[in-house]
Amino acid sequence: MTYDLIVIGSGPGGYSAAVRAGQYGLKTAIIEKDSRLGGTCLLVGCIPTKALLHAADMWDFATHSAEQGITIDKPVLNYPKVIERKNGIVSKHSKGVEFLMKKNKVEWIKGFGTIKGPGKVEVQTDKGTQLLETKNILIATGSEARMLPGLTPDADRILTNIEILNLQAVPKSLMIIGAGAVGVEFASMFNRFGTDVSIFEALPRIVPVEDEEVSKELERLFKKDKIRVETGAKCDQVQKTATGVKMKVTLANGKVEDVEAEKLLVAVGRAPMTAKIGLENTKIRSERGFIFVDEYQQTDEPGIYAIGDVVAGTPQLAHVATRQGMIAVAKMTGKPTTPIKRNRIPGATYTDPGIGSVGLTEAQAKAAGYKVKVGKFPFLANSKATILGSHDGFVKIVADEKYGEILGVHIIGPEAFELISEAVTAMESEATVESMMATIHAHPTIYEAVGEAFQNVYGLAINI
Ligand SMILES: Cc1cc2nc3c(=O)[nH]c(=O)nc-3n(C[C@H](O)[C@H](O)[C@H](O)COP(=O)(O)OP(=O)(O)OC[C@H]3O[C@@H](n4cnc5c(N)ncnc54)[C@H](O)[C@@H]3O)c2cc1C
């Protein structure tokens, strides 16, 4: 039997592409090595973390509600129940992906896929090995947590995103190596659950891909919440002890310190899962496992496409994987499509407060030669933020002085990960600072802070 498309990997990239292929009437199969569909994002990434972060928000409310005139007598954190709820959300949505495969007539093949050459995929299943033929192959095999050299994760003390999601009790203390999105989200979550959290980052600032002012604000707020933040810090000599884990940290000032905690989370980035998928049987170009593609996700081997976390040069985000899947399937079926615009990819980080960003940071815009104008507005001056009791953070607009082009928008504050959508839509539809200044924002909303930040590109915000 010959397929039109075989997708390898059922993360947000692979399963969405399979659905789209089904919608276009392609005879499609999806190969997944795990027993459940959904990939990193659904099973051990975006969804379970956000479920636990929501529980942290609820716990925060339960323990601080007296400030709002609501007294909750001795709230109790039933953490196993929190984990059970998170597992329920994951299972429900994984079943949802199964349903989508059936609805769109996508065949789910359970096993490990290896490319044997153009148009040929071998699957190792429980029942043996099968060789499948197909017109197109889509590599969507995603990524896995990187480890520090010599370290192996275990279920108890040295953890990656997988193990930490299944702890049955809130740890007393937690060290985190790496302050990218994954590291800071777990820091924010466990800090609110009552863990003593320290976070160590080798680079000079936390959330290093964000605008510098956003990094500074998050660090300030983390420290206010008693999270220990060490940037420019190098960690080594990690060892398990009788009660936890210890390691040596060389701090930014050169001082070497022994640090110890009950658990260690290693969040130092994600490596592409391409080692055993048969790239050597193709003309595909790759570097350190990352696959090179053109703007339509085509690899150097005709008929083989790659999307998501395995792709070189695009951020490892679920919505990027999904969009790349749409582009790849459109391309292989001759449908019109537009490549991803690198500066219009939103990022969403669910710390407390959250971060939402899109486009160039102020430093990147200046380095690119723009004459930059910045408009900022603090949530302190936004009435809805006062109502929510969430005053920290700001909206920052990075614009080009010449034509009022919006180059980037950076938000740290309440619901920042939702607010950023307005900026993405504005940039995608080529709105200018002027047209955003004329856009009416309903009152009282936190969106008004976005409108005010646009006004403030010209020093015209009303409420500060
Ligand atoms: C803790 C954490 C939180 C995150 N939170 C967010 C977030 O809030 N928002 C966001 O946008 N992104 C988030 N991400 C990133 C996001 O999860 C990834 O960018 C996304 O999952 C990538 O999708 P993908 O389709 O490329 O691959 P994946 O989701 O990694 O899926 C790949 C699938 O391929 C399967 N596979 C691999 N090799 C084979 C093979 N040879 N044969 C068969 N199957 C195979 C794997 O088992 C897996 O199911 C988070 C990541 C982590 C770790």
Side-chain angles (χ1 to χ4, degrees), residues 277-461:
I277 63 167
L279 294 186
E280 65 284 3
N281 302 323
T282 69
K283 295 206 269 302
I284 291 174
R285 249 178 342 114
S286 64
E287 195 177 288
R288 291 181 302 118
F290 287 103
I291 296 175
F292 291 104
V293 294
D294 70 7
E295 56 184 354
Y296 294 104
Q297 308 306 132
Q298 296 183 108
T299 67
D300 283 4
E301 181 70 66
I304 307 187
Y305 297 73
I307 59 170
D309 282 8
V310 297
V311 171
T314 40
Q316 291 178 308
L317 292 167
H319 41 281
V320 172
T322 303
R323 179 70 201 130
Q324 290 176 335
M326 301 301 101
I327 293 169
V329 175
K331 192 66 189 172
M332 65 184 78
T333 49
K335 303 257 194 289
T337 187
T338 45
I340 285 190
K341 299 175 196 86
R342 187 68 172 76
N343 285 335
R344 302 215 177 123
I345 298 173
T349 305
Y350 282 65
T351 39
D352 178 35
I355 300 171
S357 58
V358 59
L360 301 179
T361 64
E362 184 179 349
Q364 287 166 341
K366 283 181 177 156
Y370 287 102
K371 193 137 191 242
V372 171
K373 269 189 95 62
V374 168
K376 261 179 86 178
F377 189 81
F379 283 102
L380 188 64
N382 173 267
S383 50
K384 182 65 189 291
T386 312
I387 293 164
L388 296 175
S390 187
H391 259 151
D392 292 314
F394 54 80
V395 180
K396 175 174 176 177
I397 311 293
V398 177
D400 174 34
E401 189 180 67
K402 199 165 176 196
Y403 301 113
E405 183 186 352
I406 307 165
L407 302 173
V409 177
H410 307 276
I411 309 177
I412 176 164
E415 304 293 322
F417 28 78
E418 304 278 347
L419 291 182
I420 199 63
S421 300
E422 181 182 21
V424 183
T425 310
M427 288 172 75
E428 189 60 33
S429 29
E430 298 187 355
T432 59
V433 172
E434 283 74 9
S435 57
M436 292 309 291
M437 287 168 78
T439 302
I440 300 176
H441 293 82
H443 178 71
T445 60
I446 40 176
Y447 279 91
E448 286 176 291
V450 179
E452 287 271 63
F454 277 110
Q455 306 285 346
N456 229 10
V457 172
Y458 296 108
L460 292 173

Side-chain angles (χ1 to χ4, degrees), residues 70-84:
I70 300 166
T71 309
I72 301 176
D73 198 21
K74 295 197 190 90
V76 175
L77 179 65
N78 180 351
Y79 196 67
K81 177 77 189 159
V82 169
I83 294 291
E84 191 187 312

Side-chain angles (χ1 to χ4, degrees), residues 93-309:
H93 284 269
S94 182
K95 289 268 169 238
V97 177
E98 266 181 53
F99 165 77
L100 290 174
M101 295 303 106
K102 283 191 195 124
K103 181 180 167 207
N104 292 286
K105 302 194 171 43
V106 176
E107 187 184 340
W108 170 15
I109 304 175
K110 297 176 187 174
F112 189 95
T114 312
I115 301 170
K116 286 290 170 187
K120 288 192 175 29
V121 181
E122 185 183 87
V123 198
Q124 287 160 265
T125 68
D126 284 352
K127 297 180 194 84
T129 302
Q130 260 178 289
L131 187 66
L132 308 172
E133 299 211 340
T134 176
K135 290 182 189 142
N136 297 289
I137 298 170
L138 182 62
I139 302 172
T141 48
S143 62
E144 59 192 346
R146 274 189 207 286
M147 264 290 128
L148 294 176
L151 270 194
T152 341
D154 61 47
D156 184 38
R157 281 181 267 172
I158 299 175
L159 316 170
T160 69
N161 62 300
I162 297 180
E163 298 79 28
I164 198 168
L165 285 168
N166 285 319
L167 297 178
Q168 284 304 308
V170 172
K172 285 198 177 52
S173 52
L174 171 70
M175 301 185 293
I176 300 174
I177 307 180
V182 173
V184 295
E185 285 187 354
F186 280 111
S188 176
M189 176 197 302
F190 281 108
N191 170 255
R192 282 180 287 155
F193 283 141
T195 303
D196 181 7
V197 176
S198 333
I199 187 161
F200 302 96
E201 168 60 55
L203 293 173
R205 58 194 177 96
I206 60 170
V207 283
V209 300
E210 301 294 344
D211 188 273
E212 271 178 52
E213 286 191 84
V214 170
S215 297
K216 240 186 234 159
E217 179 71 348
L218 187 66
E219 182 170 338
R220 182 183 75 80
L221 296 169
F222 267 12
K223 286 181 172 165
K224 199 172 98 184
D225 286 341
K226 309 259 179 311
I227 297 175
R228 179 177 181 188
V229 180
E230 293 293 347
T231 51
K234 306 257 175 340
C235 305
D236 56 15
Q237 297 182 33
V238 178
Q239 280 170 19
K240 289 189 207 173
T241 63
T243 49
V245 190
K246 68 174 185 182
M247 61 184 186
K248 276 209 184 316
V249 183
T250 309
L251 300 171
N253 61 9
K255 218 180 112 198
V256 180
E257 210 182 292
D258 289 316
V259 287
E260 193 164 352
E262 190 185 322
K263 314 270 180 201
L264 170 71
L265 170 69
V266 182
V268 293
R270 314 242 343 136
M273 279 205 276
T274 49
K276 296 181 193 141
I277 63 167
L279 294 186
E280 65 284 3
N281 302 323
T282 69
K283 295 206 269 302
I284 291 174
R285 249 178 342 114
S286 64
E287 195 177 288
R288 291 181 302 118
F290 287 103
I291 296 175
F292 291 104
V293 294
D294 70 7
E295 56 184 354
Y296 294 104
Q297 308 306 132
Q298 296 183 108
T299 67
D300 283 4
E301 181 70 66
I304 307 187
Y305 297 73
I307 59 170
D309 282 8

Side-chain angles (χ1 to χ4, degrees), residues 55-72:
D57 290 346
M58 296 292 98
W59 177 243
D60 225 11
F61 174 74
T63 47
H64 294 93
S65 62
E67 293 157 19
Q68 302 196 25
I70 300 166
T71 309
I72 301 176

